[in-house]
Amino acid sequence: MERSLELANRSSSHGFILLGLSTRLGIRDILFAIFLALYLLTLLENTVIVSLICSQSELHKPMYFFLGNLSCLEMCYVSVTMPTLLEGLSSSPCRMSFSACIAQLFLFISLIGTKCTLLASMAYDRYVAICLPLHYPLLMRPQVCRGLALSSWLGGLLVSVVKTSCIASLSYCGPNVLNHFFCDVSPLLNLSCTHVALTELVDFISAVGIFCGSLLVALASYAAIGMAVLRMPSAAARRKALSTCASHLVVMGVFYAAVLFMYSRPGRVESSDLNKVLSVVYTVVTPACSPIVYCLRNRAVRSRPQPWSAETAGRPHPSCAGQRGIRGTAGFGE
């Protein structure tokens, strides 16, 4: 018992060493420039999206409301992991105190859980807009949208409190070297010298609840959308719907595939180059690509929306969601 307390105290005082992505000097310099550019691009893209959604009354619609939440989350999400990644590339290895590592873990778990549920909420919004257009004003009224967004943020926070508390209570035997570029669940579990069965169980249950639950909602929504698209009489409408959904499905598919592979496995997972590459995909690549896929290709977001004219009175502005307007007419993104 005294030995365990001594090891825990030593972990808290000495912290952790993060090996980062690469130890070769030439490669580190190139990767630093690439990831710094991606980081700045991600912040710029999401800042533009949030500014447009807040300033343009024409974009005050459910799907853009969720996109605004997602953009705010992406900026926070990438800012949690990117600083240690860049620090590790500029001055490898990166050293972190125990408290800073746990704080990063807490924020990361909270944000990734929130992102999963927000993506599921966006898929549900698209389902209602395409499959139940006449009920869209009621099912996606402002109170419902705010409730879904708030539940996503609070749900991620609650899961993070439970998982982080379990991991922070473990003892670490040293040398406390993490073969990763940020403090993640699996590398920390690998370093623990105490019994981690309960922590692994909590980690697995929360992964199944958050990741698999939100994925099932998204898949069910897209399955219903697919059947609705097949019943559309117009080939042009089907092409537009499939094109819009395909773009979203690619981003969601890459994100969910990487996350589920990393976190929905019981037991300790050894840190490896593959794990780090997958972590780069959902912590760096998807936040940088999501704004382009969701909004920057969209004419309604790319340019200042104009008031409806007599020619456009029968259809809504194009939207990233492929949603139908209150009148029930198709308005797929272009």
Side-chain angles (χ1 to χ4, degrees):
M1 185 66 173
E2 293 179 357
R3 178 62 175 169
S4 298
L5 292 175
E6 179 184 350
L7 292 172
N9 291 333
R10 190 170 66 183
S11 299
S12 301
S13 61
H14 292 282
F16 299 95
I17 299 175
L18 280 66
L19 295 183
L21 292 179
S22 175
T23 57
R24 296 175 59 183
L25 183 59
I27 296 179
R28 288 210 315 263
D29 295 337
I30 297 174
L31 291 177
F32 180 87
I34 293 175
F35 285 117
L36 178 60
L38 287 175
Y39 181 41
L40 297 177
L41 177 64
T42 302
L43 294 179
L44 176 62
E45 289 173 339
N46 288 287
T47 300
V48 170
I49 291 174
V50 173
S51 300
L52 284 174
I53 292 175
C54 292
S55 61
Q56 301 297 331
S57 59
E58 292 86 351
L59 299 180
H60 293 174
K61 298 176 182 179
M63 190 60 195
Y64 294 111
F65 171 77
F66 290 120
L67 286 173
N69 276 268
L70 184 62
S71 294
C72 291
L73 182 142
E74 296 281 26
M75 288 188 286
C76 299
Y77 180 68
V78 74
S79 296
V80 168
T81 57
M82 189 65 77
T84 54
L85 187 154
L86 294 175
E87 183 179 352
L89 292 173
S90 62
S91 58
S92 181
C94 174
R95 299 179 182 273
M96 290 188 71
S97 66
F98 181 81
S99 58
C101 185
I102 294 301
Q104 184 184 52
L105 177 68
F106 171 79
L107 293 174
F108 174 74
I109 294 175
S110 176
L111 292 173
I112 198 172
T114 301
K115 182 173 182 176
C116 287
T117 50
L118 275 178
L119 290 175
S121 298
M122 293 167 69
Y124 172 74
D125 172 85
R126 192 171 306 118
Y127 157 74
V128 176
I130 295 177
C131 300
L132 303 171
L134 298 180
H135 300 282
Y136 187 84
L138 176 63
L139 296 178
M140 298 305 298
R141 59 190 183 275
Q143 297 89 335
V144 173
C145 294
R146 288 193 291 267
L148 289 173
L150 183 61
S151 299
S152 298
W153 288 94
L154 292 180
L157 185 65
L158 179 61
V159 170
S160 183
V161 168
V162 175
K163 293 181 67 171
T164 306
S165 299
C166 293
I167 295 174
S169 64
L170 299 176
S171 298
Y172 299 93
C173 304
N176 293 352
V177 177
L178 296 177
N179 186 16
H180 216 302
F181 58 88
F182 70 97
C183 291
D184 202 358
V185 175
S186 296
L188 287 173
L189 289 180
N190 290 332
L191 288 184
S192 177
C193 56
T194 53
H195 193 57
V196 295
L198 178 60
T199 303
E200 289 176 344
L201 179 62
V202 171
D203 179 44
F204 180 70
I205 292 176
S206 61
V208 171
I210 292 290
F211 302 143
C212 296
S214 60
L215 178 60
L216 289 176
V217 172
L219 291 178
S221 299
Y222 279 119
I225 290 173
M227 291 186 290
V229 169
L230 291 176
R231 293 194 297 266
M232 289 181 178
S234 170
R238 287 197 297 269
R239 284 195 299 269
K240 289 184 178 181
L242 291 175
S243 175
T244 302
C245 292
S247 299
H248 292 80
L249 280 171
V250 167
V251 173
M252 294 181 64
V254 171
F255 173 78
Y256 276 116
V259 170
L260 288 172
F261 183 81
M262 290 286 294
Y263 296 104
S264 295
R265 294 174 293 172
R268 303 186 186 191
V269 181
E270 295 295 333
S271 297
S272 63
D273 291 339
L274 175 60
N275 286 353
K276 288 191 283 188
V277 169
L278 290 173
S279 298
V280 168
V281 169
Y282 67 81
T283 60
V284 179
V285 177
T286 54
C289 295
S290 293
I292 298 175
V293 174
Y294 281 114
C295 282
L296 297 184
R297 291 176 61 252
N298 186 279
R299 188 168 56 197
V301 177
R302 206 169 52 225
S303 61
R304 181 182 179 86
Q306 299 296 326
W308 284 9
S309 62
E311 297 177 354
T312 61
R315 60 181 177 86
H317 287 287
S319 75
C320 303
Q323 67 183 44
R324 299 187 180 186
I326 294 178
R327 297 171 182 261
T329 55
F332 299 109
E334 300 180 15

